[in-house]
């Protein structure tokens, strides 16, 4: 998405695309329902913890490490093969995202750098800074043409300005744009998908749509499948109104599936307490 156009609030403009208002309203109603569940009044911390685990599992699956939930829950050592390191990175990012909410609206680029540091967890000099021309990008799943370093820098700065300025765009729209822009740019040498989904989580939580982080959209994206994820991203990258609306609708469906996950957890806890 170009963030340097003439409109004062391009994110709000996206909210007027056909079907987007309906997606926003559907998500809001779904989130309100799970927050109104009786179990949430007494055991919300448990729901948050379980949502974090499921969200990390979903994000890792989209980056090629499709582990069973119980394996993610059981494992304590994530230093083995590439899959284990990917799951470990996803878990670290989910935990770290909650610590960065207060910084995001003041310095989103600082938060993105921190997320990449947490995900990579090594001393590679490329870690925590946008990639330079000629540097390779290790990013499973996304095979779109890579923007050059100058475009990455300009679009990140534009995105940062929009976030800092705030505006009237619904949280779902802002989260979808942040997510899509980071996937399209792949600004880091690695872990861009994991970072993009963690940033989406920060927007959804920090905006107040999902303040307790109980709606794991990452799990929803994984359930919708990698092929649908890539196809929706193609729509975002196209920049057309239809493509942008399709990407936002895809993100909305992922949030709703995340709500369904947490609703099922609430129901299971309620049965256990009966």
């Amino acid at each position: 998405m170009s963030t340097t156009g003439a409109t004062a609030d391009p994110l709000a403009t996206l909210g007027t695309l056909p079907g987007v208002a309906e997606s926003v309203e559907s998500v809001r109603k779904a989130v309100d329902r799970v927050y109104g569940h009786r179990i949430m009044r007494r055991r919300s911390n448990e729901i948050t913890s379980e949502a974090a685990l499921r969200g990390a599992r979903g994000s890792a699956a989209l980056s090629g490490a499709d582990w069973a939930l119980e394996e993610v829950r059981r494992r304590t050592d994530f230093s083995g093969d590439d899959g284990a390191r990917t799951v470990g990175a996803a878990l670290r990012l989910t935990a770290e995202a909650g610590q960065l909410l207060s910084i995001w609206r003041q310095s989103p680029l600082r938060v993105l750098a921190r997320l990449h540091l947490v995900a990579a967890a090594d001393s590679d000099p490329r870690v925590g800074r946008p990639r330079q021309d000629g540097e390779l990008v290790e990013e499973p799943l996304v095979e779109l043409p890579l923007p050059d370093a100058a475009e990455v820098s300009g679009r990140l700065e534009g995105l940062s300005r929009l976030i800092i300025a705030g505006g009237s765009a619904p949280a779902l729209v802002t989260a979808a744009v942040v997510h899509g822009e980071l996937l399209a740019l792949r600004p880091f040498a690695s872990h861009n998908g994991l970072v993009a989904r963690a940033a989406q989580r920060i927007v959804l939580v920090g905006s107040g749509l999902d303040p307790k982080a109980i709606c794991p959209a990452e799990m929803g994206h994984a359930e919708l499948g990698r092929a649908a994820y890539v196809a929706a991203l193609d729509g975002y990258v196209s920049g057309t109104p239809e493509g942008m609306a399709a990407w936002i609708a895809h993100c909305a469906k992922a949030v709703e599936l995340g709500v369904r996950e947490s609703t099922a957890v609430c129901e299971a806890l309620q049965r256990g307490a009966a």
Side-chain angles (χ1 to χ4, degrees):
M1 174 192 177
S2 173
T3 57
T4 58
T7 54
D9 190 353
L11 296 182
T13 300
L14 292 177
T16 67
L17 292 175
V20 170
E22 291 81 357
S23 292
V24 168
E25 181 64 11
S26 180
V27 166
R28 186 190 64 78
K29 289 180 177 178
V31 173
D32 285 350
R33 282 194 298 271
V34 72
Y35 270 85
H37 198 288
R38 59 179 295 188
I39 286 293
M40 282 295 297
R41 293 195 293 271
R42 296 180 286 112
R43 304 177 70 175
S44 64
N45 288 343
E46 292 174 70
I47 308 301
T48 296
S49 295
E50 187 64 19
L53 187 72
R54 294 180 185 221
R57 184 260 158 198
S59 191
L62 287 169
S63 287
D66 193 0
W67 287 17
L69 180 62
E70 290 310 312
E71 176 66 8
V72 179
R73 196 190 308 279
R74 179 191 67 80
R75 186 76 74 93
T76 57
D77 180 7
F78 298 97
S79 61
D81 58 18
D82 287 346
R85 287 191 289 273
T86 296
V87 174
L91 288 166
R92 291 193 300 273
L93 282 173
T94 301
E96 186 73 11
Q99 310 302 314
L100 299 171
L101 296 172
S102 62
I103 305 172
W104 175 254
R105 285 295 296 272
Q106 285 74 44
S107 185
L109 298 185
R110 178 181 164 196
V111 168
L112 293 176
R114 175 62 185 168
L115 290 174
H116 190 238
L117 282 165
V118 169
D122 64 36
S123 57
D124 188 313
R126 298 175 298 169
V127 170
R129 64 154 174 82
R131 58 183 169 79
Q132 300 172 2
D133 283 336
E135 291 182 340
L136 298 177
V137 174
E138 301 169 15
E139 190 56 50
L141 186 62
V142 180
E143 298 180 352
L144 295 165
L146 277 173
D148 63 26
E151 182 178 352
V152 169
S153 177
R155 286 172 63 174
L156 284 178
E157 288 291 342
L159 184 64
S160 176
R161 286 194 297 270
L162 287 176
I163 292 165
I164 292 169
S168 59
L172 172 69
V173 172
T174 302
V177 168
V178 167
H179 185 173
E181 193 72 354
L182 292 174
L183 283 177
L185 294 177
R186 280 147 293 157
F188 302 110
S190 63
H191 300 90
N192 290 286
L194 294 175
V195 168
R197 291 183 288 273
Q200 175 189 251
R201 170 181 284 264
I202 288 172
V203 174
L204 293 173
V205 174
S207 67
L209 177 64
D210 180 22
K212 294 183 182 293
I214 63 168
C215 306
E218 307 96 325
M219 191 72 240
H221 282 297
E223 186 171 340
L224 289 167
R226 300 175 81 189
Y229 188 65
V230 170
L233 178 62
D234 284 345
Y236 177 87
V237 172
S238 76
T240 65
E242 297 80 10
M244 298 292 289
W247 170 251
I248 294 168
H250 185 86
C251 291
K253 182 62 175 176
V255 175
E256 292 187 57
L257 289 172
V259 168
R260 190 180 71 180
E261 282 282 313
S262 288
T263 300
V265 173
C266 287
E267 295 294 333
L269 290 174
Q270 183 168 285
R271 288 193 298 271

